[in-house]
Amino acid sequence: MEEKLLKLFQDFYNEFKDFKTEMTDFKKSTERRLDKIDFRLEGIDDKVSEAFEAIEAHAQINKEQHKEIMNELKGELNIVQLAVKRAAK
């Protein structure tokens, strides 16, 4: 009877050790995959930040160019208005 109990306990212990080893390996594997994911996410975050900085820079350039074009058009509109006034006289 004691031998059977001892054998059952040893079998249980061996299964537990195998299970523990499998879970430890699974945890390590998962951690490695998570580390890779974190690394890739950092790279993506950097690229997205750079893209937004470029978009902001282009938006500022476009705003300045728009302002310059509008000033030029206002000047040309004034010239046209003067010419129309002179022609109307």
Side-chain angles (χ1 to χ4, degrees):
M1 182 77 152
E2 286 181 25
E3 288 178 21
K4 282 186 177 181
L5 283 174
L6 182 59
K7 173 79 171 124
L8 283 173
F9 179 73
Q10 286 175 339
D11 290 345
F12 173 76
Y13 180 74
N14 288 335
E15 287 180 28
F16 176 76
K17 278 182 19 181
D18 291 343
F19 178 75
K20 183 179 177 183
T21 300
E22 288 176 15
M23 289 298 105
T24 302
D25 291 345
F26 176 76
K27 180 182 175 188
K28 288 177 184 175
S29 173
T30 302
E31 287 173 348
R32 282 191 298 270
R33 282 184 264 149
L34 289 174
D35 288 343
K36 287 179 184 177
I37 291 170
D38 284 342
F39 180 73
R40 289 179 180 160
L41 284 175
E42 287 174 8
I44 290 169
D45 185 48
D46 290 345
K47 289 177 183 177
V48 168
S49 294
E50 289 173 11
F52 276 111
E53 287 174 9
I55 289 169
E56 289 175 356
H58 285 290
Q60 183 63 33
I61 291 168
N62 287 343
K63 184 178 178 180
E64 291 169 7
Q65 288 176 341
H66 179 263
K67 186 177 178 180
E68 288 174 16
I69 291 169
M70 292 306 292
N71 287 338
E72 288 176 21
L73 288 175
K74 285 179 186 175
E76 290 175 11
L77 182 61
N78 289 338
I79 292 170
V80 171
Q81 287 175 337
L82 285 173
V84 169
K85 284 181 184 177
R86 286 185 185 163
K89 287 184 183 180

